[in-house]
């Protein structure tokens, strides 16, 4: 041990005597022989040996290290040579040199050889093989020129002493005499010294390690002491440290650490070596860690004497480890090791059942943390702040924790007054920490002593440490840990009475806990928070937090009731006019919303009923002041643009397009958790892709909103949304007042009066309690539930009862009044104004038909339809065909300015037509009554009269006057006939003037017994009622033939007879034949003039083409007007014209006459007579 | 062996927390909660360095005088936290790994239950039994 004390003495002056630095120690090399020579070279050697690194090759295949060796020279002293078992390696000479200047072999033989021999023998006696003999020569130019050198002194020395180790003898040229020549030999010497020096260490250490191993193996022997062993192995670490191999030195310490830990652990299972007893003594002092490069000699002595306490030993070991870490420039590693180290020490104290005075360990831990932190700060590098902080943060936290523990112990917390016992304790703790040498900065020990000195100082220090810890945690993003310290700080501030600050810390913690869904912790925090609010008199927050707590099922009912009562109590003292708004979800869960009112009844001005189911989390029933659900009007949206579909138009993909109409659900269950896409139905749809030629290119199934289904499923689930909801517009809302809210499920019926049409969806839910002072406001629901309020105008229409309305007969139509979404007030009237010819009356009314009808409407609710049966009658005029009569009815409504038109179509029940028939000169007027109805009509008293002055014409009825009744219907017609007797004309000129005939009859629907007979009247004009010409045609066979034969020429005899004088002009005839039957030979047309003669006959040649009964060729007669006949010429008059006769003016006698034509004669007969 | 076992969801909300002794359960809640800081840190570091992603065991997250907190994270970012007593010196890393593996297997069974909605709190007798047996040390 004395050796080390010596080493300590060699430490720099300024260091305290109880410390020494291993770094300052150097390998000791002895010198012997020519001392004057050596002293001239010593300075040079000391300076130049450390300049180059040497590779240290070690035995056992250990990795080669590059080592810078230093050396310290001391004269060879036999007494300083290491003895067996003395392993204080850093103080012992390790390498031995002999120096001689002798160049003369004779002188060598006489004196030097003996001296070397003695020196080597001494070394061998101590078993030392690490030596070097250096012969220093002066450069001799003469000698170097000699061709054959004689045997030199070096050769002699070699042969005498170093025949086995030729490298242990070296000759150098004295650099002081001739520097230039010596450099090479000198460099050789230096490297030789370095190599041999390290070799010496290697052999020594190999031996030493062997010793250590042996020692370790004896650890279970009774007399073995860990302290001795520790010091032994530490020597190895010292050497390694001295050689700059800090990592290896650290390995030695770590090994020792592990060994000791294992001993302690073994103690817990019952193994108790004697030496361990020295660590189990009661703790008497707890000085803090001191981290320096240097070895604390005082502590080392204590260990040697087995007097060190566990903490002292541990502190020493940790300090040495830290020193190595600092030397390897890894200060953060210290911080990293600190916490496990401290925890381990505490565990060891517990295992070894060391009696510790209260607070002592806390003091020690606190000092340890601070010392490490201080050291880290000293070696802080801005690039490694992050790296440090990860470890320092928890050290800050640990330190502040321990300080708090001490504060509690010593009565230093705010609001505490230290008792005399506690003061004693402080004194005792301070004494246990010991004193530290004064320095410029306050040491951890000073800080702790100061902190324990008074409440005020304690507060200052505690807040400083805690805030540092919190800040560092925040800096490295360990927010949760920062919040936990925040809670501690909050508790401290509460003690200080600073509830404002405390609430800030707690609020931050609460927010994070809520976001992450840690309900039980959140409730805990809230309970603390509520205390703060009470003290800060923040009534609003107090009430809100109370409300939330009252609804927390994590708490027992009594506490919840307490908070609820608090809430009500404090609420009543708040005097602001506005209600206090808080989160709906704190106290209620909305379960479902449903629109109860029928769709039809959702009209403007109507009342909507909405049923809301909600779960009240309040612990008891509460009177509900008002519950309201806001309604948002949905503005009409633009239809989505088509651009998205354009992309697909080329491939004509038939993706089903679903336009999403703004569809409002009428009810919905409100889920607290968001819809889980894993559990919803996937909407798949078919997709077909066609090529341009319409052939199928591909078919596939696709999920249209795959994004929704494939998005990452959040496994969070039950978070509460912390979004603060702003109050939306409640001007439109459904509400109910003054109910009771029971705990658990409640069903509320809300009502709203809607004043405008449109789509409404539900927005926010609001519940007002406590006389409306407290309002729970939910988030916006966004569930697409709502209703549509319609505004439908009333409609009025006329509808025929049967499919076809008949004119001229009483018909029934219905006036349909649909009120739409409106109310019809009392004393409203509808005025029907039909067009001319149509009359109407209410069926119930026996009054006569009116052309302007007023209908009184009763008071009616919305969406009601009222029907009023009406009788209508359309006037039936002269009906000559079945054209439909259309009538328009303008309806004046009380609710609109414009009249509403209604159109009615009436079909005629029958139509009448008149035809004139001719038979030679006689004329017959035939009236046809065509039935058009489906049911029978009876016709009576048909009559045809002539109108006006027409003496020349008379009508003679040819109809039976009695017999079966005349009935008409569709398909049942009546034909009536009158002969028109025309008097022989006296005045030829007037004969042509048309006469007017009026047909009248009465008709009566057979099925309808009530209706009376109605008169039908129809007038006709009768023209050309005189026969002018009678023509007849006849086909005769040509002369000599008996019969007409096909392909044989025949004669057509045409006779034209004039029966009226009025025909004066020429007549043109045209033979119109069917060309498949007849061929006209010669002219087919011609002109005849009937000047004087009344009758004229024309013969034409015609040939039948086929046989059979052929119709006689038709001859058409028309008036012929020559070209120059009319002087008032127009363009047309230049050509001759023909003018047809009206039917009835020409009577064709041979109409429908046929002639029998035989087949053509056989050839033989043709030439016959 | 363990004094507290917790399953934490993807978004760091508790899905299951069981403590051996119920008296200071909240303290364990806090411990589990703060351990998440380290879990997140480790996960973000693992993401950066792109090291072995198959290693689910996160090792020791945090230690206090009384407790050691270990972490494990599944591929779906479900975290398992196990708190053991620091005084229990016989507990080796390998045993902690075994606990997590058993816990993971039990959790997988819970998720495989078609009636379990992922993200919900775990209510399962079977799972509870596994957790209890881990806590009591009967493996």
């Amino acid at each position: 041990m004395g050796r080390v004390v010596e080493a300590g003495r060699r430490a720099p002056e300024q260091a305290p005597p109880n410390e020494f630095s291993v770094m300052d120690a150097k390998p000791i090399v002895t010198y012997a022989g020519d001392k004057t020579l050596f002293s001239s070279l010593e300075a040079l050697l000391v300076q130049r040996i450390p300049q180059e690194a040497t590779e240290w090759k070690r035995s056992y295949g250990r990795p080669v290290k590059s080592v810078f060796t230093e050396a310290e020279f001391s004269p060879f002293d036999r007494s300083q040579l290491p003895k067996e078992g003395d392993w204080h390696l850093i103080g012992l000479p390790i390498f031995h040199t002999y120096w001689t200047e002798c160049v003369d072999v004779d002188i060598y033989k006489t004196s030097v050889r003996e001296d070397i021999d003695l020196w080597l023998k001494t070394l061998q006696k101590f078993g030392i093989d690490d030596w070097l003999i250096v012969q220093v020569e002066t450069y001799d130019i003469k000698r170097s020129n000699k061709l054959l050198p004689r045997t030199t002194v070096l050769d002699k020395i070699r042969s005498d002493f170093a025949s086995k180790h030729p490298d242990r003898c070296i000759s150098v040229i004295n650099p002081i005499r001739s520097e230039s020549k010596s450099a090479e030999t000198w460099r050789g010497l230096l490297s030789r010294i370095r190599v041999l020096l390290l070799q010496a260490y290697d052999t020594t250490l190999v031996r030493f390690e062997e010793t250590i191993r042996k020692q370790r193996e004896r650890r279970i022997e009774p007399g073995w002491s860990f302290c001795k062993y520790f010091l032994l192995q530490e020597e190895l670490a010292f050497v390694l440290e001295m050689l700059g191999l800090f990592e290896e030195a650290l390995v030695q310490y770590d090994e020792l650490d592990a060994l000791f830990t294992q001993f302690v652990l073994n103690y817990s299972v019952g193994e108790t070596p004697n030496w361990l007893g020295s660590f189990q003594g009661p703790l008497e002092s707890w000085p803090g860690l001191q981290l320096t490069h240097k070895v604390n000699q005082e502590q080392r002595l204590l260990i040697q004497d087995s007097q060190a306490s566990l903490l002292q030993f541990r502190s020493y070991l940790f300090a040495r480890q830290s020193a190595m870490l600092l030397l390897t420039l890894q200060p953060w590693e210290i911080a990293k090791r600190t916490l496990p180290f401290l925890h381990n020490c505490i565990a060891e104290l517990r295992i070894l059942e060391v009696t510790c005075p209260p607070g002592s360990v806390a003091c020690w831990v606190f000092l340890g943390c601070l010392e490490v932190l201080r050291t880290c700060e000293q070696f802080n590098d801005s690039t490694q702040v992050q790296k440090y902080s990860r470890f320092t943060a928890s050290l800050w936290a640990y330190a502040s924790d321990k300080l708090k523990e001490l504060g509690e112990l010593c009565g230093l917390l705010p609001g505490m007054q230290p008792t005399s016992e506690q003061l004693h304790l402080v004194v005792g703790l301070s004494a246990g920490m010991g004193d530290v040498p004064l320095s410029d900065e306050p040491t951890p020990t000073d800080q702790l002593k100061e902190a324990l000195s008074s409440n005020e100082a304690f507060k200052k220090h505690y807040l400083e440490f805690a805030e540092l810890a919190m800040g560092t945690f925040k800096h490295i993003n360990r927010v949760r840990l920062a919040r936990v310290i925040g809670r501690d700080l909050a508790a401290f501030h509460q003690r200080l009475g600073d509830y404002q600050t405390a609430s800030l810390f707690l609020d931050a913690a609460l927010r994070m806990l809520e976001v992450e869904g840690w309900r039980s912790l959140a409730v805990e925090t809230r309970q603390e928070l509520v205390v703060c609010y009470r003290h800060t008199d923040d009534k609003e927050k107090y009430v809100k937090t109370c409300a939330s707590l009252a609804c927390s099922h994590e708490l027992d009912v009594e506490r919840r009731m307490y908070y609820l009562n608090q809430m009500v109590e404090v609420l009543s003292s708040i005097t602001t006019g506005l209600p206090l708004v808080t989160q709906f979800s704190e106290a209620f869960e909305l379960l479902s919303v449903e629109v109860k009112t029928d769709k039809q009844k959702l009209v403007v001005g109507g009342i909507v009923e909405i049923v809301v189911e909600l779960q009240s989390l309040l612990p008891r029933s509460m009177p509900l002041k008002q519950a309201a659900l806001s309604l948002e009007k949905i503005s009409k949206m633009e239809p989505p643009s088509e651009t998205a579909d354009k992309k697909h138009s080329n491939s004509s993909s038939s993706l089903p397009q679903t336009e999403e109409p703004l569809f409002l659900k009428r009810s919905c269950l409100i889920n607290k958790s968001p819809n889980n896409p894993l559990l919803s139905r996937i909407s798949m749809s078919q997709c077909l892709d066609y090529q341009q030629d319409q052939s199928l290119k591909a078919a596939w199934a696709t999920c249209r909103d795959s994004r929704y289904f494939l998005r990452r499923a959040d496994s969070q689930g039950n978070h509460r949304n912390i979004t603060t909801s702003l109050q939306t517009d409640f001007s439109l809302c459904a509400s109910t007042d003054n109910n009771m809210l029971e705990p658990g499920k409640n069903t509320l019926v809300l009502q709203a009066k809607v004043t405008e049409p449109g789509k409404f969806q539900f927005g926010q839910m609001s519940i007002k309690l406590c006389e409306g002072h407290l309002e729970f406001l939910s988030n916006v629901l966004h569930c697409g539930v709502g209703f549509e309020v319609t505004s439908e105008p009333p409609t009025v229409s006329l509808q025929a009862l049967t499919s076809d309305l008949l004119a001229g007969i009483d018909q029934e139509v219905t006036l349909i009044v649909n009120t739409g979404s409106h109310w019809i007030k009392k004393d409203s009237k509808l005025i029907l104004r039909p067009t001319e010819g149509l009359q109407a009356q209410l069926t119930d009314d026996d009054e006569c038909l009116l052309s302007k009808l007023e209908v009184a409407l009763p008071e009616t609710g919305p969406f009601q339809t009222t029907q009023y049966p009406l009788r209508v009658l359309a006037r039936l005029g002269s009906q000559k065909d079945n054209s439909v009569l259309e009538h328009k009815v303008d309806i004046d409504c009380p609710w609109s300015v414009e009249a509403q038109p209604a159109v009615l179509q009436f079909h005629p029940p029958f139509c009448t037509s008149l035809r004139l028939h001719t038979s030679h000169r006689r004329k017959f007027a035939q009236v046809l009554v065509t039935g058009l109805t489906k049911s029978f009509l009876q016709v009576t008293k048909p009559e045809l009269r002539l109108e006006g002055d027409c003496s020349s014409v008379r009508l003679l009825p040819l109809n039976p006057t009695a017999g079966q009744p005349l009935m008409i219907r569709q398909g049942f017609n009546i034909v009536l006939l009158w002969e028109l007797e025309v008097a022989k004309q006296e005045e030829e000129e007037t004969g042509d003037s048309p006469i007017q005939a009026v047909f009248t009859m009465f008709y009566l629907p057979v099925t309808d017994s009530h209706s009376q007979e109605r008169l039908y009247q129809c007038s006709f004009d009768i023209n050309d009622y005189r026969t002018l010409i009678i023509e007849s045609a006849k086909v005769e066979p040509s002369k000599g033939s008996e019969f007409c034969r096909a392909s044989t020429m025949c004669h057509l005899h045409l006779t034209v007879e004039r029966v009226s004088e009025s025909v004066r002009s020429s007549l043109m005839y045209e033979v119109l034949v069917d060309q498949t039957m007849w061929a006209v030979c010669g002219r087919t047309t011609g002109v005849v003039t009937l000047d004087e003669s009344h009758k004229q006959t024309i013969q034409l040649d015609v040939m039948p083409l086929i046989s059979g009964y052929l119709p006689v060729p038709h001859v058409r007669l028309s008036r012929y007007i020559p070209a120059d006949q009319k002087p008032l010429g127009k363009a047309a008059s230049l050509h001759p014209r023909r003018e047809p006769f009206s039917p009835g003016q020409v009577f064709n006698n041979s109409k429908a006459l046929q002639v029998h034509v035989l087949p053509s004669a056989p050839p033989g007969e043709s030439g016959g007579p | 062996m363990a004094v507290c076992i917790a399953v934490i969801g993807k978004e760091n909300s508790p899905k299951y927390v069981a403590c051996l002794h119920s008296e200071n359960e909240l303290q364990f809640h806090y411990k589990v909660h703060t351990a998440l800081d380290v879990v997140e840190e480790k996960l973000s570091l693992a993401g950066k360095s792109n090291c072995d992603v198959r290693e689910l065991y996160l090792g020791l997250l945090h230690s206090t005088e009384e407790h050691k907190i270990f972490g494990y994270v599944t591929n779906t970012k479900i975290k398992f936290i196990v708190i053991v007593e620091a005084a229990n010196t016989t507990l080796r890393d390998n045993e902690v790994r075994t606990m997590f593996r058993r816990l993971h297997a039990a959790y997988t069974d819970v998720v495989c239950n078609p009636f379990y909605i992922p993200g919900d709190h775990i209510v399962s007798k079977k799972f509870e039994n596994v957790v209890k047996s881990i806590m009591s040390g009967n493996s």
Side-chain angles (χ1 to χ4, degrees), chain A residues 470-489:
Chain A
M470 193 162 77
T472 321
F473 274 134
K474 276 186 188 163
H475 176 70
I476 57 168
N477 281 330
R478 292 190 176 178
V479 189
R480 295 177 187 85
L481 282 160
R483 296 278 176 257
V484 167
I485 295 173
R487 280 171 49 86
D488 288 345
L489 271 172

Side-chain angles (χ1 to χ4, degrees), chain A residues 265 343 346 390 398 402 478-481 484 487 512-513 516-518 520-521 524-525 676 715-716 719, chain B residues 8 10-15 26 29-30 32-34 36-37 40-41 63-65 87 89 117-119:
Chain A
L265 289 182
H343 288 153
I346 293 169
R390 208 177 306 150
Y398 198 27
K402 285 294 159 191
R478 292 190 176 178
V479 189
R480 295 177 187 85
L481 282 160
V484 167
R487 280 171 49 86
M512 189 184 62
L513 292 169
E516 297 194 335
W518 291 77
S520 48
L521 297 185
E524 171 88 359
T525 311
N676 192 332
S715 45
Q716 72 282 20
H719 292 178
Chain B
I8 311 297
K10 185 169 159 274
E11 307 290 323
N12 293 335
S13 62
K15 299 294 168 219
L26 277 184
H29 278 248
Y30 275 118
V32 171
H33 187 231
T34 50
L36 292 175
D37 269 336
E40 286 196 336
E41 199 174 277
S63 64
T64 64
E65 283 174 28
T89 49
I117 298 169

Side-chain angles (χ1 to χ4, degrees), chain A residues 1060-1100:
Chain A
S1060 168
E1061 293 302 317
S1062 61
V1063 181
R1064 292 271 175 222
S1065 62
S1066 313
L1067 294 173
M1068 186 175 147
Y1069 66 88
E1070 290 162 274
V1071 183
L1072 303 170
V1073 292
D1074 186 344
Q1075 291 187 347
T1076 58
M1077 295 178 190
W1078 295 101
V1080 180
C1081 306
R1083 345 188 333 194
T1084 56
T1085 57
V1087 174
V1088 253
T1089 312
L1090 295 169
D1091 281 334
E1092 298 305 317
S1093 60
H1094 283 283
K1095 201 169 179 176
Q1096 202 154 3
T1097 306
I1098 303 135
Q1099 185 177 325
L1100 296 163

Side-chain angles (χ1 to χ4, degrees), chain A residues 586-841:
Chain A
E586 303 272 16
F588 302 101
E589 278 172 33
L590 206 53
L591 298 175
S592 70
V593 184
E594 190 182 355
V595 183
K596 259 286 182 284
T597 314
D598 286 344
K599 223 170 223 170
Q600 281 80 32
K601 291 187 182 156
L602 285 170
V603 292
V604 171
I607 285 182
V608 192
E609 277 196 354
I610 297 150
V611 177
V612 172
E613 272 194 348
L614 52 84
Q615 180 102 24
S616 167
L617 305 173
L618 293 165
R620 67 169 160 90
S621 56
M622 293 283 286
L624 170 71
K625 176 74 181 163
Q626 191 198 33
L629 186 59
S630 76
L631 302 172
E632 290 171 8
K633 189 170 180 183
I634 303 169
S635 50
K636 290 223 167 71
M637 279 192 286
E638 294 280 307
S641 61
E642 297 275 309
T643 46
D645 303 317
K646 290 267 165 67
K647 283 188 287 180
H648 270 289
S649 58
N650 285 341
S651 59
S652 67
S653 155
S654 67
L655 201 72
Q657 294 195 8
T658 51
E659 206 171 284
E660 282 197 30
L662 201 54
F663 179 71
L664 285 171
K665 291 181 281 182
R666 287 184 52 88
S667 69
C668 101
L669 297 173
I670 291 158
N671 245 340
K672 250 178 91 184
S673 55
N675 268 344
N676 192 332
L678 298 174
L679 300 176
S680 53
R681 198 188 199 105
I682 296 179
S683 63
M684 299 295 286
S685 57
Q686 161 191 300
C687 232
L688 300 171
D689 201 350
Y690 293 100
Q691 281 171 329
Q692 279 195 331
D693 59 353
Q694 297 303 306
S695 61
L696 191 65
K697 187 175 160 197
W700 70 93
T702 181
C703 173
R704 268 187 290 117
D705 33 7
S706 57
R707 261 247 217 79
Y708 174 74
F709 293 103
L710 291 181
R711 84 175 170 198
R712 274 204 81 112
D714 292 338
S715 45
Q716 72 282 20
N718 299 353
H719 292 178
R720 288 207 283 175
N721 267 338
I722 312 291
T723 48
T724 47
S725 48
L726 294 168
Q727 180 146 19
T728 52
D729 188 9
F730 268 79
S731 58
L732 262 180
C733 70
S735 61
T736 179
D737 294 346
N738 300 326
N739 262 326
M740 280 304 275
L741 272 180
E742 301 296 329
K745 208 170 184 179
N746 287 273
T747 305
L748 301 174
V749 179
L750 310 183
Q751 290 192 331
K753 185 164 177 152
V754 275
T755 50
E756 51 179 320
K759 287 183 172 181
F760 293 89
Q761 71 172 354
F762 300 140
Q764 280 178 306
M765 180 86 197
S766 141
I767 289 210
K768 285 182 186 163
L769 296 178
C770 303
E771 297 306 308
H773 289 312
L774 184 61
E775 179 173 6
F776 292 91
L777 195 64
S778 78
N779 293 336
V780 179
L781 297 178
H782 290 307
C783 54
V785 183
F787 53 87
E788 187 171 359
V789 176
T790 47
S791 167
E792 225 173 79
T795 53
V796 175
S797 63
L798 281 173
Q799 204 173 3
L801 223 59
T802 50
S803 58
D804 293 325
L805 287 172
L806 294 174
I809 302 173
D810 275 10
Q811 294 289 301
E812 298 220 325
V813 292
T814 318
L815 175 68
I816 302 170
V817 180
N818 190 329
T819 53
S821 57
H822 289 261
W823 289 84
I824 293 183
K825 293 184 199 86
K826 224 176 165 181
D827 300 331
S828 299
K829 268 183 191 171
L830 283 180
I831 300 167
L832 276 68
R833 285 185 287 111
T835 42
E836 183 69 34
L838 182 70
Q839 292 179 312
Q841 183 56 276

Side-chain angles (χ1 to χ4, degrees), chain A residues 331-505:
Chain A
W332 62 85
E333 188 72 20
I334 303 175
K336 186 182 168 184
R337 283 169 173 234
T338 309
L339 210 56
F341 160 69
L342 295 173
H343 288 153
N344 185 42
C345 288
I346 293 169
E348 285 180 350
L349 284 173
R350 195 174 51 227
I351 290 168
L352 296 177
E353 293 152 354
V354 177
T355 345
C356 318
S360 55
V361 178
C363 280
W364 182 75
V365 167
F366 178 84
L367 294 175
C369 286
L370 244 56
E371 175 68 18
V372 171
L373 289 169
R374 202 174 63 132
T375 312
C376 283
E377 233 157 78
Q378 271 172 11
F379 294 91
N380 204 347
D381 183 342
S382 59
T383 58
Q384 290 161 338
V385 172
Q386 194 80 25
K387 218 168 183 176
Y388 278 118
S389 304
R390 208 177 306 150
F391 308 114
T392 53
S394 37
L395 287 180
W396 285 116
Y398 198 27
S400 61
D401 228 30
K402 285 294 159 191
L403 190 60
K404 197 175 109 188
E405 189 183 321
L406 286 169
E408 242 166 89
L409 204 64
C410 305
L412 292 167
L413 291 184
M416 280 180 162
Q417 196 61 44
T419 59
S420 61
E421 268 171 51
Q422 284 170 325
L423 287 174
H424 272 294
L425 188 67
V426 172
V427 172
L429 286 175
S430 300
M433 284 181 243
D435 289 314
V436 284
L438 287 171
S439 63
D440 305 335
E441 285 177 58
T443 59
T445 315
D446 297 335
Q447 278 177 298
L448 182 56
K449 281 182 179 168
E450 194 199 327
L452 295 180
S453 64
S454 72
N455 289 39
E456 199 50 41
F458 176 81
K459 174 188 141 192
K460 176 179 153 268
H461 279 94
Y462 176 71
L463 288 179
E464 185 193 328
F465 288 127
E467 265 155 30
L468 260 169
M470 193 162 77
T472 321
F473 274 134
K474 276 186 188 163
H475 176 70
I476 57 168
N477 281 330
R478 292 190 176 178
V479 189
R480 295 177 187 85
L481 282 160
R483 296 278 176 257
V484 167
I485 295 173
R487 280 171 49 86
D488 288 345
L489 271 172
F492 192 79
H493 280 291
Q494 280 192 35
R495 280 178 157 278
L496 280 174
D498 185 358
Y499 291 96
Q500 192 68 47
T501 318
S503 68
L504 287 180
F505 283 120

